[in-house]
Amino acid sequence: MIDDFTRKEIEKISHNILKESKSFDIFPTPVDKILSYSDFALDNKIDLQNIDDSFFDSFKEKLVDPSKKALMHALSKIKGFFYREEKTIYIDAELDKNLGKKNFVKLHEIGHGVLSWQNEVILALDNDETLSEEYDEQFEAEANYFASLTLFQHDRFLEECEKLSLGLGAVMEISKKFGASVHSSFRNYVLQSKNKCALLVLNHPVNKNGFVNTLTTRDLFYSKKFLEEFGELQLPDEFGFKWSFVQDFKFKKKFHENGVISLNTKEGEDLKASYHFFNNTYNSFVFFFPKGEKNRAKTKIILK
C-alpha cells in the first residue's frame, strides 16, 4: 500500500513532468517525449527471451544471487528493466505488438528513475507480476501509480470519461485516445467512475483440447458509488457455462453491450443489472451496472 504522503509526492512529480515536458493535453500521451525529458536512454531492440550470454556479465553483481543462472531466470520473465548506472531503460522487443502495454512499461521504468527515494534501486527487473497495478510491494506499487497517473494525465482521464456514455465501448475509445491498454483503461475507468459499476476480469483456462467452459477470476473492481450502494458482489472464483458471459465467450462473441443478469450481493440482496462483454483474446471483461444507470453522453462513439 502507498501511504497518502507518498501518493501526493508521486502526483506532484508526475504532474511536474507532464507540465515541463509539455505533454498535458497531447494525445495519445507522448511517452517518448516524457522519456526524453526525463533524460533516460531507451533500448527496445532486445529479445529478452533470447539474450546473448555476454549481455549478462555487467548485471550479475546487481542481484542478491549474482549467479548467471539467477540472472537468466529473472530476465527470462521480464518485460522491461531500469539500469540506473547507465540511466537506461530496456524494453522487450515483443512489446512492439502491444503499444498500450509498452507505454505503461516505459512509464513504470521512468518511475523507478524519477522517484528520488528509489535511488537505492540500481537494477529494477519488471515482469507481469510487478507490472500489475494490484501488486503491493512498495517500490513497484509506486512505479505503477506513477505510470498510471502519467499515462492517463491525472484528471484528464475522468474528464474524457464524463463526455461519453456509460460502458465498455466508451472505455475502448478512451484507451486509444491515451495510448493505453484496454485492461488498464477498464480498471481506471471503474475505479474513478462517478457511476455505480463493477468490472470482472476473467482468465481463459485451456487444456490440451483448447479452451474449457470454465473461466476463472483474475480481478474484480468496484466504483466507490457501487460499494456505497450495494457493497461487494457474491461471486465465485470459477464461472461455468450457466453464466451468460461464459456463453458469450464460448460462442466467440467479441463485444456486446446488451447483457442482462441477476446478481447477488454479499448482503444477500438481489441486483438486476446490465452487463457489457469484451473478449480481447487474453481475458474477458464483464462490466456490470444496475439497470437504469447511465451517463448523459456529450460525444457519440462509433466503434470500427
Side-chain angles (χ1 to χ4, degrees):
M1 287 289 293
I2 307 174
D3 61 70
D4 289 341
F5 175 81
T6 303
R7 191 175 292 273
K8 289 178 181 177
E9 288 300 302
I10 296 171
E11 289 166 3
K12 289 178 186 176
I13 293 168
S14 170
H15 189 278
N16 183 64
I17 287 175
L18 283 163
K19 181 180 178 181
E20 294 301 318
S21 65
K22 296 180 170 55
S23 296
F24 268 128
D25 300 316
I26 305 298
F27 302 104
T29 300
V31 175
D32 286 336
K33 190 176 181 181
I34 294 167
L35 178 69
S36 178
Y37 172 81
S38 302
D39 199 28
F40 298 128
L42 175 68
D43 189 333
N44 63 350
K45 304 300 182 184
I46 299 176
D47 177 0
L48 292 176
Q49 306 303 312
N50 298 287
I51 286 182
D52 185 84
D53 287 356
S54 62
F55 184 80
F56 300 126
D57 295 337
S58 62
F59 297 106
K60 290 180 187 176
E61 63 191 42
K62 311 303 177 187
L63 293 181
V64 176
D65 178 357
S67 68
K68 177 178 171 182
K69 181 179 180 181
L71 186 56
M72 288 180 68
H73 177 71
L75 289 175
S76 69
K77 298 179 179 181
I78 68 170
K79 303 298 183 184
F81 64 98
F82 173 65
Y83 186 30
R84 190 176 300 278
E85 289 184 357
E86 294 182 356
K87 297 182 70 174
T88 300
I89 289 169
Y90 294 86
I91 303 293
D92 187 5
E94 281 294 304
L95 285 177
D96 287 345
K97 300 173 183 177
N98 188 338
L99 179 61
K101 182 67 175 287
K102 183 177 181 181
N103 283 337
F104 186 88
V105 175
K106 284 182 185 178
L107 288 170
H108 177 101
E109 305 308 335
I110 292 171
H112 282 308
V114 300
L115 302 180
S116 58
W117 57 89
Q118 291 199 17
N119 284 345
E120 65 191 71
V121 178
I122 303 302
L123 179 65
L125 303 173
D126 291 300
N127 56 25
D128 284 331
E129 183 180 13
T130 65
L131 291 163
S132 167
E133 293 179 71
E134 305 309 304
Y135 193 69
D136 60 5
E137 192 279 322
Q138 186 70 24
F139 279 0
E140 299 301 344
E142 292 169 357
N144 281 328
Y145 186 54
F146 172 87
S148 183
L149 269 176
T150 308
L151 185 57
F152 291 117
Q153 301 188 34
H154 293 247
D155 56 359
R156 304 306 196 266
F157 179 76
L158 188 55
E159 289 172 3
E160 293 300 316
C161 291
E162 291 177 345
K163 294 178 183 178
L164 306 173
S165 59
L166 181 68
L168 293 190
V171 194
M172 291 162 73
E173 186 68 17
I174 290 170
S175 72
K176 295 175 187 175
K177 184 177 184 73
F178 285 89
S181 71
V182 169
H183 192 154
S184 184
S185 300
F186 285 172
R187 174 189 181 276
N188 280 276
Y189 180 72
V190 171
L191 293 180
Q192 294 192 45
S193 179
K194 295 180 179 180
N195 291 99
K196 297 183 283 289
C197 56
L199 178 71
L200 175 65
V201 186
L202 296 166
N203 293 312
H204 296 164
V206 296
N207 59 25
K208 63 181 181 180
N209 297 316
F211 289 112
V212 298
N213 289 339
T214 300
L215 303 187
T216 59
T217 299
R218 172 175 172 175
D219 289 308
L220 178 59
F221 305 110
Y222 301 96
S223 70
K224 182 178 179 181
K225 283 200 171 183
F226 189 99
L227 289 175
E228 289 174 348
E229 178 88 11
F230 307 108
E232 295 183 357
L233 294 171
Q234 185 69 46
L235 295 173
D237 292 328
E238 296 185 347
F239 297 87
F241 196 69
K242 72 174 185 178
W243 292 86
S244 54
F245 47 80
V246 176
Q247 296 171 34
D248 294 335
F249 166 79
K250 194 61 181 178
F251 295 134
K252 303 186 184 304
K253 290 187 179 179
K254 179 77 172 177
F255 171 79
H256 73 75
E257 292 183 305
N258 55 11
V260 178
I261 195 168
S262 291
L263 300 167
N264 293 317
T265 71
K266 287 191 175 180
E267 298 299 319
E269 297 180 6
D270 182 54
L271 174 63
K272 302 297 183 185
S274 299
Y275 79 87
H276 297 176
F277 175 83
F278 175 62
N279 177 353
N280 73 347
T281 71
Y282 303 105
N283 299 103
S284 286
F285 301 85
V286 189
F287 179 69
F288 302 117
F289 53 95
K291 294 191 72 174
E293 187 78 5
K294 61 183 178 180
N295 275 347
R296 182 170 294 178
K298 299 174 184 177
T299 304
K300 185 176 182 179
I301 295 297
I302 301 175
L303 292 176
K304 298 180 179 179

